[in-house]
Amino acid sequence: MTEIKAIITDLDGTLLKDDKTISDYSERVLKKCREHGIIVMAATARPERTIRKYHEQIGFDAVTVLNGANIFIGGRLIERGIPEKDGVAVISGIMTLGNHIISIETDKGIFSDVYIPEWDTAVYNGFPYLPEGVSLYKILVNGSDKELKECVERSMTENTYYTVAQN
């Protein structure tokens, strides 16, 4: 039998229950794994600020957030954001459709062209350009229509990709 060296888990729909908590059983199992030298990691599309409590609860050895834009490992942060020119190109393409809410996740927080209370966004009216001095990690746009999907696909650069959130 092959020895387990690491466990990598997603959070939403995997480790977390419907109420967004980790069961006592899962917590015990993951902590026991760590005690036996098994590396325990989490990978999520969420930003780091929204998973701190899970990280503190489990003591993950590494965490990948924002679809891989940031990796926390061994007390270090490894960043792999979206180059500014690519972010401007993608946002410019999306803006050709009009009437879609655009938000960006950055090292300075989340900015949006409208205030989104549940995210406590900073309102930013300068799109397609980025706020000065930010590192861009993720571009979010609302909508599910075919035209938006096609527009996003056309706007992608060689340094970007997109995912569609499932409800």
Side-chain angles (χ1 to χ4, degrees):
M1 185 169 178
T2 305
E3 184 180 334
I4 297 173
K5 305 223 187 247
I7 295 170
I8 304 170
T9 183
D10 184 24
L11 296 180
D12 295 296
T14 306
L15 181 60
L16 301 182
K17 300 186 307 180
D18 290 341
D19 67 357
K20 303 297 182 196
T21 62
I22 298 172
S23 73
D24 292 339
Y25 174 78
S26 293
E27 181 178 357
R28 281 193 312 274
V29 167
L30 292 175
K31 286 182 176 181
K32 183 66 89 178
C33 288
R34 290 192 73 230
E35 289 171 11
H36 288 288
I38 298 171
I39 296 167
V40 178
M41 300 177 276
T44 182
R46 290 175 175 220
E48 189 265 339
R49 70 179 174 280
T50 67
I51 66 151
R52 283 186 191 125
K53 66 181 176 184
Y54 308 122
H55 186 30
E56 291 167 3
Q57 183 179 357
I58 300 299
F60 294 113
D61 296 289
V63 178
T64 299
V65 296
L66 296 163
N67 295 86
N70 286 345
I71 301 168
F72 296 89
I73 185 167
R76 291 185 3 208
L77 167 62
I78 301 168
E79 293 180 283
R80 184 159 165 33
I82 301 169
E84 183 174 359
K85 67 177 178 50
D86 295 292
V88 169
V90 170
I91 294 168
S92 293
I94 293 166
M95 289 179 74
T96 63
L97 288 180
N99 78 348
H100 286 79
I101 297 170
I102 296 173
S103 305
I104 59 172
E105 187 75 51
T106 75
D107 62 329
K108 306 281 191 286
I110 189 162
F111 296 82
S112 183
D113 50 10
V114 299
Y115 180 67
I116 303 171
E118 57 270 23
W119 292 350
D120 193 25
T121 56
V123 176
Y124 179 71
N125 295 312
F127 293 129
Y129 303 102
L130 306 180
E132 190 171 325
V134 301
S135 294
L136 177 62
Y137 300 139
K138 193 174 191 178
I139 301 167
L140 303 110
V141 61
N142 74 316
S144 59
D145 55 81
K146 183 179 176 186
E147 185 180 27
L148 174 60
K149 184 175 186 261
E150 291 171 354
C151 179
V152 168
E153 288 173 348
R154 283 192 309 273
S155 301
M156 292 294 100
T157 68
E158 66 181 36
N159 295 310
T160 59
Y161 70 94
Y162 76 97
T163 60
V164 177
Q166 303 297 317
N167 292 336

